[in-house]
Amino acid sequence: MGGFWTKRLLTVMVAVALAAGLAGQAGAQTGPGYGSPTWAPDWFKYCTNPKQWVQWTWNQQGQQIREWGFNYLPFPAEPILSSASGILSVEMDNLRRPYYYKQVWVDITYTWSGTKIPDFSSPSNPLLEWDGGWSKLLEQNSPVGPGLGTGWYNQDLGGSKGRFTAYFEIWPQPDWEKFTLQWDPKTYTINGFDRVVMLTQCNPIPEPVFFQMGALLGLSGIGLLKLRRR
């Protein structure tokens, strides 16, 4: 019995030390362009743990403008935005943290045309991949986010504008993650994107939750697919 409690105590001490060290690192070290943007949700602004954000917008001339920041070292690789007919993806680099879980929030504003707003539930959306797993979320009503649940929703903003929002939680904090959104270009027409945002942050897992991570593993699809970074 003594050996069991000794190991348990050591586990807790290691987790606490990692959390304290990362919190200090996050506060002391910042990346280019860092500073929680004014448009970020409060839960992201107030987080002092490792986090990263990126925003792409387009001016009237169609030129792409990227803003990017993070609060940890070493510097991650630059985020990658890719798009083609019927697909858009965002890939972000991370720093692996085995005792942390990752929160991912995606917000996309776009212009569409046709008789009905694009359906993002087909063929396999939305999808989040990372080194060791993948996760697909069910559509639900807004809002989604920390304390509100995972999922995604799509809004018709009027004036041929649409807004897609999704929130994922995965464990453990991976080396990288890639978000992919797809639609059938033969049925739905997206004329362009006004704004693409991806926020990621990782938080330490409270000890009682750590011993109940089996449910989260099942929801996230960890271990179902081994991926290599592209």
Side-chain angles (χ1 to χ4, degrees):
M1 182 65 70
F4 169 80
W5 287 109
T6 298
K7 291 180 180 179
R8 184 180 176 88
L9 179 60
L10 286 173
T11 300
V12 173
M13 290 175 65
V14 169
V16 170
L18 282 171
L22 284 173
Q25 171 180 286
Q29 300 169 342
T30 59
Y34 187 74
S36 293
T38 57
W39 47 259
D42 287 344
W43 55 265
F44 184 83
K45 292 179 182 176
Y46 298 149
C47 177
T48 58
N49 292 310
K51 60 183 181 181
Q52 183 179 180
W53 64 271
V54 64
Q55 174 182 252
W56 286 274
T57 55
W58 287 260
N59 61 22
Q60 294 182 346
Q61 290 73 40
Q63 297 172 317
Q64 185 184 104
I65 302 169
R66 189 196 69 184
E67 299 171 88
W68 170 48
F70 51 91
N71 69 340
Y72 60 89
L73 292 178
F75 280 20
E78 296 187 10
I80 300 172
L81 174 67
S82 303
S83 62
S85 178
I87 188 169
L88 178 141
S89 66
V90 179
E91 185 171 357
M92 293 183 75
D93 192 21
N94 294 306
L95 188 63
R96 181 182 294 278
R97 297 297 184 196
Y99 297 107
Y100 281 53
Y101 73 98
K102 170 54 79 66
Q103 298 168 294
V104 180
W105 190 73
V106 179
D107 193 48
I108 300 171
T109 307
Y110 59 93
T111 303
W112 64 280
S113 60
T115 58
K116 51 186 176 181
I117 193 168
D119 178 8
F120 296 118
S121 62
S122 177
S124 59
N125 296 282
L127 176 67
L128 187 71
E129 305 168 78
W130 62 92
D131 56 323
W134 55 267
S135 178
K136 296 178 183 178
L137 296 179
L138 296 177
E139 183 177 4
Q140 68 177 50
N141 294 327
S142 64
V144 294
L148 302 172
T150 59
W152 65 274
Y153 62 95
N154 191 34
Q155 297 175 284
D156 185 347
L157 302 179
S160 298
K161 297 288 185 180
R163 181 182 181 184
F164 170 90
T165 305
Y167 173 71
F168 297 80
E169 290 184 358
I170 59 177
W171 179 85
Q173 157 77 9
D175 280 337
W176 58 271
E177 65 267 334
K178 181 179 180 180
F179 170 81
T180 301
L181 188 68
Q182 298 183 63
W183 61 95
D184 182 358
K186 295 180 180 179
T187 306
Y188 306 102
T189 301
I190 292 183
N191 299 316
F193 296 95
D194 300 321
R195 181 172 178 263
V196 176
V197 168
M198 188 164 169
L199 308 176
T200 70
Q201 68 180 33
C202 62
N203 288 302
I205 302 170
E207 187 193 358
V209 178
F210 181 77
F211 291 100
Q212 301 174 17
M213 291 306 296
L216 184 56
L217 287 174
L219 290 173
S220 299
I222 292 178
L224 296 180
L225 181 64
K226 186 66 177 177
L227 299 170
R228 287 190 175 181
R229 180 165 186 174
R230 292 167 175 78

